[in-house]
Structure formats: structure tokens, C-alpha cells
Amino acid sequence: MWEFTTPRTIVTGEDSLEYLRVVEGKRALIVTDKVIHGLGFVEKVARYLKEAGMKVGVFDEVEPEPSIETVVKGAAVAKEYCPDWFVALGGGSCQDAAKAIWVLYERPDIKVGEISPLIKLGLRKKARLISIPTTSGTGSEVTWAIVITDVKEKRKMELASKESTADISILDPGFAFSMPPRLKADSGLDALTHAIEAYVSQWRNDFSDALAMKAIETVFEYLPKSYRNPGDKEAREKMHYAATMAGLAFSNSQIGTAHAMGHSLGALFNVPHGRTVAVVLPYAIEYSAREAMNRYADIARVIGIKSESDQKAVEELIVAVRRLLKEVEEPESIADIGISWEEYENELDELVQRAMESTATIANPRVPTVEEYRKLFIHVFKGEEVNF
């Protein structure tokens, strides 16, 4: 049995933000960052909330890869303000921070690291959650995953609770037009990685398959257009929805080794999340293909690859992924990111250990051993073909 979890309401379209006018409540706390605040997005959202009769507060101290300390600080602000709605406004960091702040607001008796699917939180006694993404990648606006950084340990904590899924997700593509090209590339490839890993996951299902495949097809068609042409409204809108579809897919199946390795890399070397998973993706496909050849071949065919065999189709899929990385000017190896071999080698044991401990590892079609993870990390650094 599998429980497919989604927000109660998903609102799309250029005028979707107007939905806030009909939301009933007394006090809303917008959780965001200073960049989003500076762009005027907070005021735009607050205006609609006020039209709905709410008082509006703002916590705008979320940083990239939000820390435990930020979540605790936000929960303290929420305790004083007493909202009955949280509004997560921003990219994945703001979405994840808002979820964690909401949990601590309703459950001050637990610590951030204790958020787990195994614990009944009993949320919604005090507040509910509206998610409004301004980037097109993490899918966090529709997932029950929460990634928070333990700064002291340089570790990304992979937390989750189905109760933390947003009540309302508003996908207004207008917000995504402010994304700079580098963020478009990083976030778009994060969405692609979510979708590919969801489709080949051992925990996949028919519903996640459908969403994953549509997201993959959309990213391959529209990410290069969006990256090259900032004024392409259709491409931006399609990418915004693709990220959400990919989020729904992996949230209801599971991610894999590209994310396990990406989380490890990002935390230890302070590299943006989308970039770390993107650089690993083609190597993860090479490694996993022997246990999911037909699934990767399905992906190849949906993006227009026609080959006489599944193996040949997968080989061409890997070429297509690498071509896409080049089109949006992403690094093709960890060395290309600018990390030296000396510093990388010093952290290699820790990188492997953290990937082994990741919840993303267990549902990958081929589950790496410690030695295989070590080889993978070395191959991705050097840009070498995975042939084991």
C-alpha cells in the first residue's frame, strides 16, 4: 500500500496569486529571504492577504541551505506573532524553512532534527501552510521533504513528514521571471534529476511515473529555451510547472544516488544544490542502468531517442543529459566546479559515509556499497566513464 500525498489545492496560471483573496484566516506570517523581499514580492503577496482580511507579518531571514539556527529563530518569531497561516515565499530554502518553522511552532517540544515520518506531529491545530515558489526546481512547494543544514556538522539533514505538505500551493509563473540564468540552470536540472530518479526508483508507482515522465519531457524541451531567452514566457511557465510535477513524483516515490551524493557534496563544499545533483546525474545513470535498463530506455524514448536496443537508448540518453548540461553551461565534473583534488581527497571518506547514510540511497535501482560510492565520487571528480 502506498499513500500518494499532495497539497489539498494547487493553483496555476498568471493570475493564480489572486487565490489568496479567498483564503480565510486572521494572521499570516510570510517566511522568505531578503532577496525576495527586496524584489517587492512580499508586498505583492501581503496585499492579497490583507484583502482577505488578514494581518501580515514577515520573517525574511532565511539563507540559502537554511540552518537549524534560522529555523529556531523563525519559530520564536512565530510564537510571538501567533499566525494561523504560514506563507512560504521563495525557492526551496524558503519552502523548507517554512515547513520546519511551522513544525516547531506547533510542536515546541521537539527539535528540528527529530522531524520524521515516524513521528505523529499533530499539525494544523494552530496553523496551516501556503507555498508560493519563486524558482523552478526543488518542488518543495508540493513535497513533504524538509532539508535543513546543520552548520556545525556541515551536514544536510534529510527530514520529512507527510503532515508538513502544504495545504495550498500557488504556482504563479510571473515570480520565476526574475531568476538569473545560473539559477534557471541549477534549478531546472534539479527538477530533471528529481524526475529521472523518481521514474527509476524502486518505490515508484503509476502516478509518480506519469508526473515524472511529463516533467522530463518538459525540461528537455523548455530548459534550454528558458536559459537562452529570458523573455520566453511559455518556457518559463512550462519549467515552473515541470518542477512541481517532478516534486510530486519524487515525493511519492523517492530520489536516488545523484541526490545522496549531491547532498553530501553541497554540505561539505558549499556548492548550490542543483549544481551538485546535476553534475552527478549522468554518472548515476551509467552506474544504475544495469538494474533499470528498460526504465532509462523509456526516458530516452520520451525525449525522442530512437534506438534498436534498450542499451543503445540508454547510452544516447546519457549523451543527451551531458549535452543539456553543456547547453546551460553547467560543470561536467566536480573538478570543473573548482574543487581541488587535495581538498576533495581529504573529504572523500566523509563524502562516502554521508551518501551511504542518505535516505536517497535505499530506493536507487542499484544500491551502492561503500567501495562503489568511493569509486563513483572519484569518477565524478575526474569526469571518467562509470564502467563498474
Side-chain angles (χ1 to χ4, degrees):
M1 183 177 71
W2 186 260
E3 178 185 351
F4 196 89
T5 304
T6 70
R8 185 198 67 196
T9 302
I10 299 176
V11 188
T12 66
E14 290 186 7
D15 59 350
S16 58
L17 203 61
E18 295 182 12
Y19 187 84
L20 292 172
R21 289 172 171 161
V22 302
V23 177
E24 296 181 356
K26 296 179 179 179
R27 303 171 75 88
L29 180 64
I30 298 173
V31 178
T32 188
D33 61 42
K34 295 192 183 300
V35 172
I36 296 297
H37 204 162
L39 289 169
F41 292 170
V42 170
E43 288 72 17
K44 188 175 182 180
V45 169
R47 183 169 67 251
Y48 285 117
L49 292 168
K50 289 174 181 177
E51 287 182 28
M54 291 192 221
K55 293 182 178 180
V56 181
V58 179
F59 176 73
D60 66 356
E61 299 185 36
V62 180
E63 75 274 43
E65 320 294 343
S67 65
I68 295 171
E69 290 77 10
T70 296
V71 171
V72 171
K73 188 173 183 179
V77 171
K79 180 180 179 181
E80 183 175 346
Y81 188 71
C82 297
D84 51 3
W85 281 102
F86 286 93
V87 180
L89 177 64
S93 293
C94 294
Q95 303 296 324
D96 287 355
K99 293 177 195 177
I101 289 168
W102 176 29
V103 171
L104 265 59
Y105 171 64
E106 298 232 18
R107 289 294 306 272
D109 57 310
I110 69 173
K111 296 180 179 179
V112 177
E114 295 172 344
I115 299 172
S116 164
L118 304 178
I119 296 176
K120 182 173 176 57
L121 297 172
L123 301 185
R124 295 176 173 80
K125 291 183 174 66
K126 296 165 68 175
R128 288 176 287 172
L129 176 64
I130 300 169
S131 290
I132 307 173
T134 61
T135 61
S136 310
T138 70
S140 185
E141 66 275 2
V142 291
T143 76
W144 44 289
I146 306 172
V147 180
I148 302 297
T149 300
D150 184 331
V151 176
K152 294 177 181 177
E153 296 291 328
K154 292 186 178 181
R155 180 182 299 274
K156 288 189 178 184
M157 299 188 298
E158 298 170 347
L159 313 173
S161 171
K162 290 197 172 185
E163 295 179 58
S164 73
T165 305
D167 295 271
I168 302 168
S169 291
I170 297 177
L171 310 180
D172 189 325
F175 285 124
F177 278 97
S178 65
M179 294 170 64
R182 187 76 275 123
L183 182 55
K184 288 180 185 178
D186 288 348
S187 59
L189 290 166
D190 187 22
L192 177 65
T193 307
H194 287 150
I196 289 177
E197 294 196 316
Y199 189 76
V200 302
S201 167
Q202 293 188 52
W203 297 353
R204 63 186 180 265
N205 55 76
D206 289 345
F207 300 96
S208 64
D209 280 356
L211 288 159
M213 275 301 208
K214 184 60 179 178
I216 291 165
E217 182 182 27
T218 302
V219 172
F220 267 95
E221 180 175 358
Y222 288 101
L223 179 56
K225 295 177 183 179
S226 172
Y227 183 75
R228 290 193 304 264
N229 184 4
D232 191 331
K233 292 181 66 175
E234 181 187 28
R236 271 288 79 231
E237 184 171 5
K238 293 292 188 181
M239 283 303 302
H240 210 48
Y241 301 158
T244 298
M245 288 187 285
L248 286 168
F250 89 79
S251 184
N252 288 285
S253 54
Q254 182 55 292
I255 44 181
T257 55
H259 271 83
M261 295 173 71
H263 284 165
S264 182
L265 280 164
L268 286 170
F269 291 102
N270 195 28
V271 180
H273 170 73
R275 203 166 306 161
T276 62
V277 298
V279 75
V280 175
L281 178 59
Y283 304 92
I285 296 173
E286 283 181 325
Y287 170 78
S288 302
R290 70 168 65 173
E291 298 297 336
M293 189 72 70
N294 63 323
R295 303 294 290 184
Y296 287 117
D298 288 345
I299 294 170
R301 293 182 184 108
V302 86
I303 64 169
I305 293 171
K306 298 177 182 179
S307 297
E308 65 276 10
S309 68
D310 284 357
Q311 182 172 342
K312 183 64 176 175
V314 175
E315 290 172 1
E316 292 188 36
L317 171 63
I318 294 165
V319 171
V321 170
R322 291 198 163 110
R323 186 186 307 120
L324 180 59
L325 264 63
K326 287 182 180 178
E327 283 190 79
V328 296
E329 301 176 285
E330 286 282 334
E332 296 180 67
S333 70
I334 293 169
D336 289 342
I337 293 175
I339 300 169
S340 72
W341 172 249
E342 290 73 23
E343 59 182 332
Y344 191 74
E345 187 178 30
N346 286 339
E347 296 286 4
L348 191 54
D349 288 342
E350 188 65 22
L351 286 166
V352 170
Q353 183 60 36
R354 292 186 182 194
M356 284 295 296
E357 293 171 355
S358 172
T359 56
T361 293
I362 56 177
N364 198 67
R366 181 183 175 194
V367 179
T369 63
V370 169
E371 186 53 36
E372 286 172 336
Y373 256 140
R374 178 178 294 276
K375 288 181 180 179
L376 272 172
F377 274 110
I378 292 172
H379 278 63
V380 179
F381 182 89
K382 295 181 178 180
E384 296 177 340
E385 179 185 354
V386 177
N387 54 7
F388 57 89

